[in-house]
Amino acid sequence: MDVRECRIWLPAFALLLGVCGTGAHAQTTGDIAARPLSLDDALRAAEAASEDVAIAEAGVERAHGQQYQARSQFLPQISGSASYTRTLRSQFQRLAGSSDTTTGPPNCNTFESRVDTTAPLPQRIRLLESSLGCASGGTSLGSFQSVGFGAANQYNLGLSVSQNIFTGGRITAQVRQANAARTGSEIALTSARAQVMLDVAQAYYDAVLADRLLNIAEATLTQAETTLSQTRLAKQVGNQPEFELLRARVTRDNQLPVVIQQRSARDLAYLNLKRLLKMPLDEKLSLTTNLDDTTSSPGTRLAALLSTPSDTSAAERSPVRQARQNVLAQRSAVAVARAERLPTITLSSAFGRVAFPTGFPSWDQFLTNWTVSASLQLPIFLGGAIRGDKMIAEANEREAEARLRQTTQLAAVDTRNAIAQLRAAEAQYAASSGTEDQASRAYDIAQLRYREGISTQTELSASRIQLQQARANRAQATRDLQVARLRVALIHDLPLSSGGLTAASAQAAIPTSSVQSPAGSLGTQGGAAQGQGLPGQPPIPGQGGTGAAGATVPLRDRGGVP
């Protein structure tokens, strides 16, 4: 390599080796102390840190509380009370005053001895007024105060009981509605956990695949460097022309951006995995589960799930079961609305102990109040409110039934789509079996032929591209197969893919795997002959993929198998 060539390519190598690091992700110095993370550990950590699971758990708790509220109406309602009242001024205080302020208060003890029926009328009127004064200031007022009239202190202890006797069936309907809501919330919790498991497993496999593709790109760069060194040496001894050296150099240079691109894709895949696990984004990870390693540990949660036969019945999918519970809840709401026209009968009783002492009371100073009552309430005219409630409830019931039929159809399509994607992934995985070994053997032969001078660099480049394509296709097929298997295993509890029938129709036109190069597909030999047939970055979760028609489709719409 001459001085001018060093001046041109030294910055590129510095960027590749200095900024991005040397070697694979698991072999860097910082990764020696990286945190090991298996797929099973990631699944457990994700479920504990998921906001969706926490929201679903709160929904279950809320529905449980609604069940308590509905059932409580069957039982008697008992409440106690205690109160103290201090009277500062009272209208009964006027009874303590005198009717004749000029003569002073009457002598109530000698009132009867002073009564003279033969006295003149004015005198007898004054005696009558004096008797009223005695009633106000004598012992009669104390008798009234003992039962509360004009008492300064009042203590009240109470106990009340009420029991619904007849409500027209509305309580029973409300209990059914609360039970349906509880069942639906539990289904939603199971669905949230299944979706978190699929998302984390897909992100984990994407990160492992990104590592594998980076290793392939770096191995291809090493091969291109070896070819360049051999060609430079052959040119120095006169066995190769300068044209072959230029071709080898261009091939090596074209591989540098691919390695950088794959390293960036790997970093993005790791960031997405850390985001799902709620881990610090700067923490380094070492993924210990390979793409082929899913059932090697029988005790793991994922191995147990994959070994259990999955229920692929569309009628028992979690969205269908939730829609079915919603129909039951809306039917119960209709029953509640209809019961509003019927009377309600309630039996109630109140027991109280009251005292009006001058100081702190003793128990024998308390008096008893005890009542029992029955009440009937019948709506006569409410301005159309009951009719409006009934119309709303019936409309909600029709909507819930329509959504149930729609969800059942979408679940059938989504289930068949998941099974079709699994079969396609299995076929692609079987087709890629052995291709990598054959391509590696072909590249070794082509490299030997090129060193001996009996083949051209074009043949060697084509063999290298085929080897790189075979390795990338094998890794992508393995990743697609694992995600498809997990999705079918979780299909019973997974929510429907977003987009409904439109997404399901689009999935049929989306290939399950396509390893792209910067210039196009690796299957295009025209790009491969020019050194452009190099594996590009895999789809990153959350960014979507490109379908056959060039339209971008979210990964969730593609059933989790980009």
Side-chain angles (χ1 to χ4, degrees):
M1 180 182 294
D2 54 17
V3 177
R4 184 179 61 181
E5 184 178 353
C6 291
R7 187 181 300 115
I8 294 175
W9 293 112
L10 188 58
F13 278 108
L15 176 64
L16 178 64
L17 301 180
V19 178
C20 299
T22 59
H25 180 70
Q27 298 175 352
T28 58
T29 304
D31 287 340
I32 295 178
R35 172 183 173 182
L37 182 68
S38 65
L39 179 56
D40 202 59
D41 294 337
L43 293 177
R44 286 195 297 267
E47 183 173 328
S50 173
E51 288 86 358
D52 293 336
V53 174
I55 292 172
E57 290 176 345
V60 173
E61 188 69 16
R62 180 171 52 251
H64 196 188
Q66 292 173 350
Q67 278 185 313
Y68 274 110
Q69 289 180 337
R71 294 171 181 173
S72 66
Q73 300 179 78
F74 281 123
L75 303 176
Q77 308 296 305
I78 305 175
S79 60
S81 63
S83 65
Y84 165 74
T85 304
R86 173 69 178 180
T87 303
L88 301 180
R89 294 189 65 86
S90 172
Q91 69 271 23
F92 300 109
Q93 291 175 348
R94 293 182 60 87
L95 296 177
S98 174
S99 59
D100 189 356
T101 59
T102 60
T103 60
N107 188 359
C108 297
N109 296 327
T110 61
F111 172 72
E112 295 181 356
S113 62
R114 295 187 294 111
V115 174
D116 186 1
T117 57
T118 62
L121 180 60
Q123 183 179 359
R124 284 185 288 173
I125 292 176
R126 284 195 300 270
L127 290 175
L128 179 60
E129 291 176 350
S130 298
S131 67
L132 293 177
C134 289
S136 301
T139 57
S140 298
L141 180 60
S143 299
F144 282 121
Q145 287 180 341
S146 65
V147 294
F149 288 100
N153 301 312
Q154 177 179 345
Y155 295 86
N156 193 335
L157 302 177
L159 185 68
S160 62
V161 181
S162 64
Q163 174 66 53
N164 291 317
I165 304 299
F166 177 77
T167 60
R170 71 184 67 182
I171 298 180
T172 304
Q174 289 174 353
V175 170
R176 290 199 304 265
Q177 188 176 12
N179 292 339
R182 171 73 182 276
T183 305
S185 61
E186 291 175 346
I187 295 173
L189 176 58
T190 305
S191 180
R193 288 173 175 168
Q195 186 62 56
V196 167
M197 180 180 293
L198 179 62
D199 291 341
V200 172
Q202 180 173 330
Y204 192 97
Y205 285 133
D206 285 338
V208 176
L209 175 62
D211 266 335
R212 181 79 62 86
L213 294 179
L214 176 60
N215 292 336
I216 295 173
E218 289 176 341
T220 303
L221 176 62
T222 302
Q223 294 172 354
E225 287 285 354
T226 302
T227 302
L228 177 59
S229 300
Q230 295 174 354
T231 305
R232 185 184 298 111
L233 181 61
K235 179 182 178 301
Q236 291 176 357
V237 299
N239 291 335
Q240 292 288 352
E242 184 179 2
F243 176 72
E244 293 295 330
L245 178 61
L246 292 175
R247 287 176 59 90
R249 189 174 299 159
V250 170
T251 301
R252 189 277 313 275
D253 296 342
N254 285 337
Q255 186 63 24
L256 289 174
V258 176
V259 174
I260 297 174
Q261 183 184 20
Q262 292 294 345
R263 199 175 294 275
S264 176
R266 189 274 313 274
D267 293 339
L268 290 177
Y270 271 77
L271 287 176
N272 183 65
L273 178 60
K274 294 175 185 177
R275 176 186 63 83
L276 292 176
L277 299 180
K278 303 300 182 293
M279 297 176 58
L281 299 182
D282 295 332
E283 184 175 358
K284 296 183 180 180
L285 295 178
S286 175
L287 305 184
T288 59
T289 302
N290 298 324
L291 288 175
D292 298 320
D293 184 14
T294 55
T295 58
S296 59
S297 300
T300 61
R301 180 178 180 182
L302 187 61
L305 180 64
L306 293 177
S307 61
T308 304
S310 58
D311 184 6
T312 58
S313 174
E316 295 301 322
R317 290 281 302 271
S318 60
V320 178
R321 287 181 283 137
Q322 280 185 281
R324 195 178 298 126
Q325 293 299 322
N326 186 33
V327 170
L328 294 178
Q330 298 304 327
R331 287 176 181 173
S332 300
V334 172
V336 172
R338 292 174 178 173
E340 292 180 4
R341 297 185 180 276
L342 301 178
T344 58
I345 302 176
T346 305
L347 179 66
S348 60
S349 177
F351 178 83
R353 297 278 291 176
V354 294
F356 310 96
T358 56
F360 192 79
S362 60
W363 183 251
D364 57 356
Q365 290 181 292
F366 280 88
L367 306 177
T368 301
N369 287 330
W370 192 359
T371 62
V372 177
S373 62
S375 62
L376 183 146
Q377 186 175 2
L378 177 65
I380 304 299
F381 177 75
L382 300 181
I386 297 179
R387 181 180 181 184
D389 292 342
K390 182 173 176 293
M391 293 173 63
I392 294 174
E394 291 176 346
N396 290 338
E397 180 186 11
R398 291 193 298 270
E399 179 183 358
E401 292 174 349
R403 290 189 180 276
L404 174 59
R405 294 191 297 269
Q406 182 185 47
T407 304
T408 304
Q409 295 173 356
L410 294 178
V413 174
D414 188 64
T415 302
R416 294 192 180 188
N417 180 50
I419 296 175
Q421 288 181 349
L422 175 60
R423 293 174 179 172
E426 291 174 343
Q428 185 177 0
Y429 181 80
S432 63
S433 177
T435 306
E436 182 179 354
D437 295 336
Q438 296 175 3
S440 179
R441 176 61 177 165
Y443 177 74
D444 292 340
I445 296 175
Q447 194 174 25
L448 177 62
R449 287 167 54 85
Y450 180 74
R451 284 200 305 265
E452 297 298 328
I454 59 178
S455 67
T456 63
Q457 190 176 160
T458 302
E459 180 182 341
L460 180 62
S461 298
S463 298
R464 184 187 302 117
I465 294 300
Q466 291 175 355
L467 174 59
Q468 187 177 12
Q469 178 181 357
R471 289 176 176 174
N473 286 342
R474 181 65 174 179
Q476 184 74 45
T478 306
R479 179 263 178 201
D480 292 347
L481 177 61
Q482 299 296 2
V483 175
R485 289 177 59 195
L486 180 59
R487 184 165 186 261
V488 172
L490 294 170
I491 198 68
H492 180 265
D493 297 322
L494 281 178
L496 295 178
S497 300
S498 60
L501 290 174
T502 303
S505 301
Q507 289 169 4
I510 297 175
T512 57
S513 174
S514 58
V515 182
Q516 298 290 335
S517 68
S521 173
L522 284 175
T524 305
Q525 295 299 326
Q530 298 176 8
Q532 300 293 336
L534 305 175
Q537 67 180 38
I540 302 300
Q543 295 182 352
T546 303
T552 300
V553 181
L555 290 179
R556 184 71 60 82
D557 293 347
R558 299 170 59 182
V561 185

PDB file of all heavy atoms in Angstrom, residues 418-444:
ATOM      1  N   ALA A 418     -50.881 -16.747  11.084  1.00  0.00           N
ATOM      2  CA  ALA A 418     -49.761 -17.152  11.930  1.00  0.00           C
ATOM      3  C   ALA A 418     -49.292 -18.561  11.589  1.00  0.00           C
ATOM      4  O   ALA A 418     -48.086 -18.839  11.537  1.00  0.00           O
ATOM      5  CB  ALA A 418     -50.160 -17.058  13.399  1.00  0.00           C
ATOM      6  N   ILE A 419     -50.252 -19.473  11.345  1.00  0.00           N
ATOM      7  CA  ILE A 419     -49.885 -20.845  10.990  1.00  0.00           C
ATOM      8  C   ILE A 419     -49.189 -20.874   9.628  1.00  0.00           C
ATOM      9  O   ILE A 419     -48.200 -21.599   9.428  1.00  0.00           O
ATOM     10  CB  ILE A 419     -51.130 -21.737  11.003  1.00  0.00           C
ATOM     11  CG1 ILE A 419     -51.716 -21.811  12.424  1.00  0.00           C
ATOM     12  CG2 ILE A 419     -50.804 -23.130  10.493  1.00  0.00           C
ATOM     13  CD1 ILE A 419     -53.022 -22.579  12.510  1.00  0.00           C
ATOM     14  N   ALA A 420     -49.683 -20.075   8.681  1.00  0.00           N
ATOM     15  CA  ALA A 420     -49.045 -20.026   7.360  1.00  0.00           C
ATOM     16  C   ALA A 420     -47.635 -19.477   7.451  1.00  0.00           C
ATOM     17  O   ALA A 420     -46.720 -19.964   6.776  1.00  0.00           O
ATOM     18  CB  ALA A 420     -49.896 -19.182   6.412  1.00  0.00           C
ATOM     19  N   GLN A 421     -47.420 -18.481   8.288  1.00  0.00           N
ATOM     20  CA  GLN A 421     -46.078 -17.930   8.449  1.00  0.00           C
ATOM     21  C   GLN A 421     -45.145 -18.946   9.104  1.00  0.00           C
ATOM     22  O   GLN A 421     -43.960 -19.013   8.764  1.00  0.00           O
ATOM     23  CB  GLN A 421     -46.144 -16.656   9.290  1.00  0.00           C
ATOM     24  CG  GLN A 421     -46.753 -15.475   8.553  1.00  0.00           C
ATOM     25  CD  GLN A 421     -46.775 -14.222   9.404  1.00  0.00           C
ATOM     26  OE1 GLN A 421     -46.527 -14.277  10.605  1.00  0.00           O
ATOM     27  NE2 GLN A 421     -47.085 -13.102   8.793  1.00  0.00           N
ATOM     28  N   LEU A 422     -45.665 -19.743  10.029  1.00  0.00           N
ATOM     29  CA  LEU A 422     -44.843 -20.783  10.635  1.00  0.00           C
ATOM     30  C   LEU A 422     -44.434 -21.826   9.602  1.00  0.00           C
ATOM     31  O   LEU A 422     -43.265 -22.250   9.551  1.00  0.00           O
ATOM     32  CB  LEU A 422     -45.602 -21.433  11.787  1.00  0.00           C
ATOM     33  CG  LEU A 422     -44.916 -22.631  12.452  1.00  0.00           C
ATOM     34  CD1 LEU A 422     -43.563 -22.227  13.023  1.00  0.00           C
ATOM     35  CD2 LEU A 422     -45.799 -23.240  13.533  1.00  0.00           C
ATOM     36  N   ARG A 423     -45.381 -22.247   8.761  1.00  0.00           N
ATOM     37  CA  ARG A 423     -45.039 -23.229   7.723  1.00  0.00           C
ATOM     38  C   ARG A 423     -44.028 -22.663   6.744  1.00  0.00           C
ATOM     39  O   ARG A 423     -43.087 -23.357   6.323  1.00  0.00           O
ATOM     40  CB  ARG A 423     -46.312 -23.654   6.990  1.00  0.00           C
ATOM     41  CG  ARG A 423     -47.283 -24.459   7.870  1.00  0.00           C
ATOM     42  CD  ARG A 423     -48.582 -24.731   7.144  1.00  0.00           C
ATOM     43  NE  ARG A 423     -49.496 -25.507   7.973  1.00  0.00           N
ATOM     44  CZ  ARG A 423     -50.757 -25.767   7.652  1.00  0.00           C
ATOM     45  NH1 ARG A 423     -51.247 -25.306   6.488  1.00  0.00           N
ATOM     46  NH2 ARG A 423     -51.518 -26.468   8.459  1.00  0.00           N
ATOM     47  N   ALA A 424     -44.187 -21.381   6.376  1.00  0.00           N
ATOM     48  CA  ALA A 424     -43.218 -20.763   5.465  1.00  0.00           C
ATOM     49  C   ALA A 424     -41.848 -20.659   6.114  1.00  0.00           C
ATOM     50  O   ALA A 424     -40.811 -20.885   5.458  1.00  0.00           O
ATOM     51  CB  ALA A 424     -43.716 -19.375   5.048  1.00  0.00           C
ATOM     52  N   ALA A 425     -41.812 -20.322   7.417  1.00  0.00           N
ATOM     53  CA  ALA A 425     -40.522 -20.228   8.112  1.00  0.00           C
ATOM     54  C   ALA A 425     -39.857 -21.594   8.217  1.00  0.00           C
ATOM     55  O   ALA A 425     -38.636 -21.712   8.076  1.00  0.00           O
ATOM     56  CB  ALA A 425     -40.729 -19.620   9.498  1.00  0.00           C
ATOM     57  N   GLU A 426     -40.653 -22.638   8.473  1.00  0.00           N
ATOM     58  CA  GLU A 426     -40.082 -23.988   8.527  1.00  0.00           C
ATOM     59  C   GLU A 426     -39.533 -24.409   7.169  1.00  0.00           C
ATOM     60  O   GLU A 426     -38.449 -25.012   7.090  1.00  0.00           O
ATOM     61  CB  GLU A 426     -41.154 -24.971   8.995  1.00  0.00           C
ATOM     62  CG  GLU A 426     -41.557 -24.799  10.459  1.00  0.00           C
ATOM     63  CD  GLU A 426     -42.717 -25.690  10.852  1.00  0.00           C
ATOM     64  OE1 GLU A 426     -43.405 -26.193   9.938  1.00  0.00           O
ATOM     65  OE2 GLU A 426     -42.963 -25.866  12.050  1.00  0.00           O
ATOM     66  N   ALA A 427     -40.261 -24.085   6.098  1.00  0.00           N
ATOM     67  CA  ALA A 427     -39.776 -24.438   4.759  1.00  0.00           C
ATOM     68  C   ALA A 427     -38.499 -23.669   4.421  1.00  0.00           C
ATOM     69  O   ALA A 427     -37.556 -24.238   3.842  1.00  0.00           O
ATOM     70  CB  ALA A 427     -40.866 -24.144   3.722  1.00  0.00           C
ATOM     71  N   GLN A 428     -38.450 -22.402   4.774  1.00  0.00           N
ATOM     72  CA  GLN A 428     -37.254 -21.612   4.494  1.00  0.00           C
ATOM     73  C   GLN A 428     -36.067 -22.106   5.314  1.00  0.00           C
ATOM     74  O   GLN A 428     -34.935 -22.155   4.827  1.00  0.00           O
ATOM     75  CB  GLN A 428     -37.525 -20.148   4.799  1.00  0.00           C
ATOM     76  CG  GLN A 428     -36.381 -19.217   4.429  1.00  0.00           C
ATOM     77  CD  GLN A 428     -36.736 -17.767   4.694  1.00  0.00           C
ATOM     78  OE1 GLN A 428     -37.832 -17.480   5.148  1.00  0.00           O
ATOM     79  NE2 GLN A 428     -35.803 -16.882   4.406  1.00  0.00           N
ATOM     80  N   TYR A 429     -36.331 -22.484   6.570  1.00  0.00           N
ATOM     81  CA  TYR A 429     -35.248 -22.998   7.404  1.00  0.00           C
ATOM     82  C   TYR A 429     -34.713 -24.315   6.849  1.00  0.00           C
ATOM     83  O   TYR A 429     -33.496 -24.558   6.830  1.00  0.00           O
ATOM     84  CB  TYR A 429     -35.766 -23.188   8.826  1.00  0.00           C
ATOM     85  CG  TYR A 429     -34.727 -23.688   9.799  1.00  0.00           C
ATOM     86  CD1 TYR A 429     -33.795 -22.830  10.365  1.00  0.00           C
ATOM     87  CD2 TYR A 429     -34.690 -25.039  10.173  1.00  0.00           C
ATOM     88  CE1 TYR A 429     -32.848 -23.286  11.263  1.00  0.00           C
ATOM     89  CE2 TYR A 429     -33.742 -25.507  11.065  1.00  0.00           C
ATOM     90  CZ  TYR A 429     -32.828 -24.621  11.614  1.00  0.00           C
ATOM     91  OH  TYR A 429     -31.882 -25.082  12.494  1.00  0.00           O
ATOM     92  N   ALA A 430     -35.625 -25.192   6.410  1.00  0.00           N
ATOM     93  CA  ALA A 430     -35.189 -26.463   5.825  1.00  0.00           C
ATOM     94  C   ALA A 430     -34.422 -26.241   4.525  1.00  0.00           C
ATOM     95  O   ALA A 430     -33.449 -26.952   4.236  1.00  0.00           O
ATOM     96  CB  ALA A 430     -36.402 -27.361   5.581  1.00  0.00           C
ATOM     97  N   ALA A 431     -34.851 -25.251   3.731  1.00  0.00           N
ATOM     98  CA  ALA A 431     -34.156 -24.984   2.467  1.00  0.00           C
ATOM     99  C   ALA A 431     -32.752 -24.448   2.694  1.00  0.00           C
ATOM    100  O   ALA A 431     -31.847 -24.690   1.873  1.00  0.00           O
ATOM    101  CB  ALA A 431     -34.967 -23.991   1.635  1.00  0.00           C
ATOM    102  N   SER A 432     -32.559 -23.718   3.792  1.00  0.00           N
ATOM    103  CA  SER A 432     -31.223 -23.152   4.050  1.00  0.00           C
ATOM    104  C   SER A 432     -30.291 -24.145   4.721  1.00  0.00           C
ATOM    105  O   SER A 432     -29.108 -23.845   4.906  1.00  0.00           O
ATOM    106  CB  SER A 432     -31.359 -21.908   4.932  1.00  0.00           C
ATOM    107  OG  SER A 432     -31.903 -22.243   6.194  1.00  0.00           O
ATOM    108  N   SER A 433     -30.812 -25.311   5.123  1.00  0.00           N
ATOM    109  CA  SER A 433     -29.975 -26.304   5.783  1.00  0.00           C
ATOM    110  C   SER A 433     -28.930 -26.854   4.818  1.00  0.00           C
ATOM    111  O   SER A 433     -29.239 -27.304   3.713  1.00  0.00           O
ATOM    112  CB  SER A 433     -30.850 -27.442   6.312  1.00  0.00           C
ATOM    113  OG  SER A 433     -30.068 -28.453   6.896  1.00  0.00           O
ATOM    114  N   GLY A 434     -27.683 -26.837   5.206  1.00  0.00           N
ATOM    115  CA  GLY A 434     -26.601 -27.357   4.380  1.00  0.00           C
ATOM    116  C   GLY A 434     -26.064 -26.379   3.361  1.00  0.00           C
ATOM    117  O   GLY A 434     -24.964 -26.586   2.830  1.00  0.00           O
ATOM    118  N   THR A 435     -26.810 -25.314   3.060  1.00  0.00           N
ATOM    119  CA  THR A 435     -26.340 -24.366   2.053  1.00  0.00           C
ATOM    120  C   THR A 435     -25.098 -23.623   2.527  1.00  0.00           C
ATOM    121  O   THR A 435     -24.173 -23.355   1.735  1.00  0.00           O
ATOM    122  CB  THR A 435     -27.448 -23.364   1.720  1.00  0.00           C
ATOM    123  OG1 THR A 435     -28.626 -24.077   1.339  1.00  0.00           O
ATOM    124  CG2 THR A 435     -27.033 -22.441   0.595  1.00  0.00           C
ATOM    125  N   GLU A 436     -25.048 -23.302   3.808  1.00  0.00           N
ATOM    126  CA  GLU A 436     -23.894 -22.570   4.323  1.00  0.00           C
ATOM    127  C   GLU A 436     -22.624 -23.401   4.209  1.00  0.00           C
ATOM    128  O   GLU A 436     -21.559 -22.883   3.824  1.00  0.00           O
ATOM    129  CB  GLU A 436     -24.153 -22.186   5.779  1.00  0.00           C
ATOM    130  CG  GLU A 436     -23.034 -21.379   6.413  1.00  0.00           C
ATOM    131  CD  GLU A 436     -23.336 -20.989   7.849  1.00  0.00           C
ATOM    132  OE1 GLU A 436     -24.466 -21.251   8.304  1.00  0.00           O
ATOM    133  OE2 GLU A 436     -22.431 -20.433   8.502  1.00  0.00           O
ATOM    134  N   ASP A 437     -22.695 -24.697   4.540  1.00  0.00           N
ATOM    135  CA  ASP A 437     -21.513 -25.561   4.431  1.00  0.00           C
ATOM    136  C   ASP A 437     -21.062 -25.687   2.983  1.00  0.00           C
ATOM    137  O   ASP A 437     -19.848 -25.656   2.684  1.00  0.00           O
ATOM    138  CB  ASP A 437     -21.823 -26.941   5.008  1.00  0.00           C
ATOM    139  CG  ASP A 437     -22.101 -26.874   6.509  1.00  0.00           C
ATOM    140  OD1 ASP A 437     -21.615 -25.914   7.156  1.00  0.00           O
ATOM    141  OD2 ASP A 437     -22.804 -27.762   7.021  1.00  0.00           O
ATOM    142  N   GLN A 438     -22.008 -25.836   2.075  1.00  0.00           N
ATOM    143  CA  GLN A 438     -21.636 -25.952   0.663  1.00  0.00           C
ATOM    144  C   GLN A 438     -21.004 -24.658   0.139  1.00  0.00           C
ATOM    145  O   GLN A 438     -20.018 -24.687  -0.598  1.00  0.00           O
ATOM    146  CB  GLN A 438     -22.884 -26.306  -0.155  1.00  0.00           C
ATOM    147  CG  GLN A 438     -23.486 -27.659   0.190  1.00  0.00           C
ATOM    148  CD  GLN A 438     -24.778 -27.913  -0.557  1.00  0.00           C
ATOM    149  OE1 GLN A 438     -25.215 -27.110  -1.373  1.00  0.00           O
ATOM    150  NE2 GLN A 438     -25.419 -29.050  -0.261  1.00  0.00           N
ATOM    151  N   ALA A 439     -21.582 -23.518   0.547  1.00  0.00           N
ATOM    152  CA  ALA A 439     -21.018 -22.247   0.101  1.00  0.00           C
ATOM    153  C   ALA A 439     -19.631 -22.017   0.688  1.00  0.00           C
ATOM    154  O   ALA A 439     -18.744 -21.462   0.017  1.00  0.00           O
ATOM    155  CB  ALA A 439     -21.951 -21.103   0.506  1.00  0.00           C
ATOM    156  N   SER A 440     -19.404 -22.456   1.922  1.00  0.00           N
ATOM    157  CA  SER A 440     -18.070 -22.321   2.512  1.00  0.00           C
ATOM    158  C   SER A 440     -17.057 -23.190   1.792  1.00  0.00           C
ATOM    159  O   SER A 440     -15.915 -22.750   1.532  1.00  0.00           O
ATOM    160  CB  SER A 440     -18.143 -22.708   3.998  1.00  0.00           C
ATOM    161  OG  SER A 440     -16.879 -22.626   4.605  1.00  0.00           O
ATOM    162  N   ARG A 441     -17.466 -24.407   1.448  1.00  0.00           N
ATOM    163  CA  ARG A 441     -16.567 -25.284   0.696  1.00  0.00           C
ATOM    164  C   ARG A 441     -16.266 -24.701  -0.685  1.00  0.00           C
ATOM    165  O   ARG A 441     -15.110 -24.727  -1.158  1.00  0.00           O
ATOM    166  CB  ARG A 441     -17.211 -26.665   0.561  1.00  0.00           C
ATOM    167  CG  ARG A 441     -16.422 -27.658  -0.280  1.00  0.00           C
ATOM    168  CD  ARG A 441     -15.071 -27.913   0.314  1.00  0.00           C
ATOM    169  NE  ARG A 441     -14.335 -28.920  -0.451  1.00  0.00           N
ATOM    170  CZ  ARG A 441     -13.025 -29.138  -0.349  1.00  0.00           C
ATOM    171  NH1 ARG A 441     -12.305 -28.413   0.508  1.00  0.00           N
ATOM    172  NH2 ARG A 441     -12.440 -30.076  -1.056  1.00  0.00           N
ATOM    173  N   ALA A 442     -17.277 -24.147  -1.343  1.00  0.00           N
ATOM    174  CA  ALA A 442     -17.066 -23.544  -2.668  1.00  0.00           C
ATOM    175  C   ALA A 442     -16.126 -22.342  -2.584  1.00  0.00           C
ATOM    176  O   ALA A 442     -15.289 -22.140  -3.481  1.00  0.00           O
ATOM    177  CB  ALA A 442     -18.410 -23.129  -3.262  1.00  0.00           C
ATOM    178  N   TYR A 443     -16.228 -21.561  -1.519  1.00  0.00           N
ATOM    179  CA  TYR A 443     -15.342 -20.403  -1.395  1.00  0.00           C
ATOM    180  C   TYR A 443     -13.906 -20.840  -1.148  1.00  0.00           C
ATOM    181  O   TYR A 443     -12.955 -20.227  -1.687  1.00  0.00           O
ATOM    182  CB  TYR A 443     -15.817 -19.502  -0.255  1.00  0.00           C
ATOM    183  CG  TYR A 443     -14.918 -18.322  -0.031  1.00  0.00           C
ATOM    184  CD1 TYR A 443     -14.918 -17.243  -0.908  1.00  0.00           C
ATOM    185  CD2 TYR A 443     -14.033 -18.286   1.051  1.00  0.00           C
ATOM    186  CE1 TYR A 443     -14.076 -16.155  -0.717  1.00  0.00           C
ATOM    187  CE2 TYR A 443     -13.193 -17.212   1.253  1.00  0.00           C
ATOM    188  CZ  TYR A 443     -13.211 -16.147   0.367  1.00  0.00           C
ATOM    189  OH  TYR A 443     -12.371 -15.076   0.562  1.00  0.00           O
ATOM    190  N   ASP A 444     -13.701 -21.881  -0.364  1.00  0.00           N
ATOM    191  CA  ASP A 444     -12.337 -22.378  -0.147  1.00  0.00           C
ATOM    192  C   ASP A 444     -11.708 -22.828  -1.453  1.00  0.00           C
ATOM    193  O   ASP A 444     -10.514 -22.560  -1.733  1.00  0.00           O
ATOM    194  CB  ASP A 444     -12.360 -23.531   0.860  1.00  0.00           C
ATOM    195  CG  ASP A 444     -12.749 -23.075   2.262  1.00  0.00           C
ATOM    196  OD1 ASP A 444     -12.626 -21.855   2.528  1.00  0.00           O
ATOM    197  OD2 ASP A 444     -13.197 -23.909   3.062  1.00  0.00           O
TER     198      ASP A 444
END
